[in-house]
Amino acid sequence: MHTRGKTFLAAIASYVIGLVVCGTLLGVRNLYAGEPPRVSGERVTGTVQVGACDRVGPASAAGFGYWWYCEITVTLPDGRAVAAVVGPSVVTPDDRGRPPALVGYCSRTEPDDCSFTREGRNLFLGLLGWFAMLLSLAALVCTAFVGGTALLIALLGPARVERWFGRRSPEAAQTPPPAEPSPDDSPYEPLGALPPGTGSLRIRFWYPEPATQVYQQARPRLSVDATDLDVLNWSTHRFPLAPGPRRMEVSAVLPEGAVFGTVTETVTVLDGVETVVDYEAPANLTSSGVLRVGAAQDDAGTASVGDWKTNGRFLLAVAALNVGLCWLLSILR
């Protein structure tokens, strides 16, 4: 299956799992209709008249389950009548014949701005409800980030995400690449723009100058997913590879067949992007080499490192995508 298709399915799965977790936590929170442990405002009680009620469920902003939202009018001890809508299931249509005792917390600056719950306070259940609410908010934020990230990559493709939101780290900007030890240029021509569903690996083989005499007699060897690739000399090589994680093993081989400087690492080849890797052979032949995964290059040849997930522009794009998705769903309802 296409990489972007898999990412789209991952986005849907992230949203579904996240919303299930949020809905479950909110449902647990709303099982307790008593007074919360601590609420700001003036505490009042009064006589309740239950008006029209609407039933929501099985999935709503109140979580999983069926809940009643009812219009009420509360007559306070000072004679004022305050109208409000309460839910979920603080009152039900069955309470019209036997109005329950409700307690309200009213704003000190706007006395008619009140919220009402059932009378009675259970500290443990109240704290449990607040804890479930905080967990649901945390799950919602994680769902928005993970699902939005996957959806944005599915819509734009990894190459555009890297190109539009990538940024060069200070370390990458300050550290110059090592000089080519061989005057020979790459035996492969630079690749053009890569179509979606394809990737490219550009790997440069080089050795430290003190060991030049040894490495002039040796040649590099590259194996990708247990398959040897054709490496001609100590220079830059390009190989078209399918996107995804690739197990790479790089070493140096002497004419008599001795292998040294072996290093093994998993490198992810990006979709539509040329992935850049450097192999540095060891100065000490008893040591392993070093494999560095550098900046991926887009089709314009501009390097960027994969720290776009911490980029403010990327986070803003993910937030905007989630807001747009919520707006679209509200229209389709």
Side-chain angles (χ1 to χ4, degrees):
M1 185 181 294
H2 197 282
T3 302
R4 291 172 68 174
K6 292 182 179 179
T7 308
F8 182 72
L9 292 179
I12 294 177
S14 299
Y15 280 122
V16 170
I17 294 173
L19 292 178
V20 168
V21 172
C22 289
T24 302
L25 291 171
L26 285 176
V28 171
R29 159 71 180 88
N30 294 325
L31 289 175
Y32 175 66
E35 298 179 54
R38 182 178 298 232
V39 175
S40 61
E42 181 182 359
R43 186 178 188 274
V44 296
T45 56
T47 305
V48 180
Q49 290 184 343
V50 180
C53 294
D54 289 326
R55 196 184 191 201
V56 298
S60 66
F64 292 139
Y66 289 93
W67 310 92
W68 288 102
Y69 281 80
C70 296
E71 299 176 0
I72 61 172
T73 302
V74 182
T75 303
L76 301 180
D78 60 5
R80 290 184 297 117
V82 178
V85 176
V86 294
S89 294
V90 172
V91 296
T92 68
D94 295 336
D95 294 320
R96 292 192 181 111
R98 43 181 179 80
L102 295 188
V103 61
Y105 290 86
C106 301
S107 171
R108 291 186 173 88
T109 57
E110 298 182 19
D112 290 340
D113 182 11
C114 304
S115 60
F116 294 92
T117 61
R118 289 275 184 173
E119 192 171 19
R121 179 173 293 173
N122 186 307
L123 181 60
F124 174 75
L125 293 179
L127 290 175
L128 183 63
W130 279 113
F131 184 65
M133 176 66 75
L134 292 176
L135 284 181
S136 68
L137 290 176
L140 187 62
V141 171
C142 292
T143 299
F145 177 74
V146 175
T149 298
L151 185 59
L152 191 62
I153 294 175
L155 294 176
L156 299 180
R160 288 192 180 92
V161 171
E162 285 281 352
R163 182 165 64 250
W164 293 358
F165 301 105
R167 60 185 180 185
R168 187 180 294 276
S169 66
E171 293 80 4
Q174 295 173 4
T175 304
E180 289 275 8
S182 171
D184 297 331
D185 195 8
S186 168
Y188 298 97
E189 293 296 326
L191 298 177
L194 299 174
T198 61
S200 170
L201 172 69
R202 187 182 75 180
I203 180 168
R204 179 169 57 176
F205 304 93
W206 65 284
Y207 50 81
E209 194 170 324
T212 298
Q213 187 173 359
V214 174
Y215 284 105
Q216 283 180 344
Q217 303 176 29
R219 64 177 180 84
R221 185 174 69 180
L222 170 64
S223 173
V224 177
D225 293 338
T227 300
D228 289 338
L229 300 183
D230 186 19
V231 178
L232 302 181
N233 51 34
W234 294 93
S235 62
T236 301
H237 291 63
R238 289 180 173 89
F239 301 97
L241 293 175
R246 297 285 171 256
R247 190 67 173 172
M248 295 181 55
E249 180 179 300
V250 191
S251 58
V253 184
L254 290 172
E256 61 271 17
V259 179
F260 60 96
T262 303
V263 58
T264 303
E265 189 171 332
T266 299
V267 175
T268 300
V269 177
L270 300 178
D271 184 5
V273 175
E274 186 172 75
T275 303
V276 181
V277 176
D278 273 344
Y279 170 71
E280 178 185 355
N284 184 353
L285 302 188
T286 60
S287 303
S288 60
V290 177
L291 205 61
R292 297 187 181 92
V293 180
Q297 286 199 342
D298 56 30
D299 52 13
T302 302
S304 60
V305 298
D307 61 351
W308 41 266
K309 289 185 180 180
T310 60
N311 194 321
R313 292 182 294 114
F314 176 77
L315 297 178
L316 184 61
V318 170
L321 182 61
N322 281 289
V323 171
L325 185 61
C326 292
W327 175 77
L328 180 61
L329 293 177
S330 66
I331 292 179
L332 297 177
R333 287 182 58 184

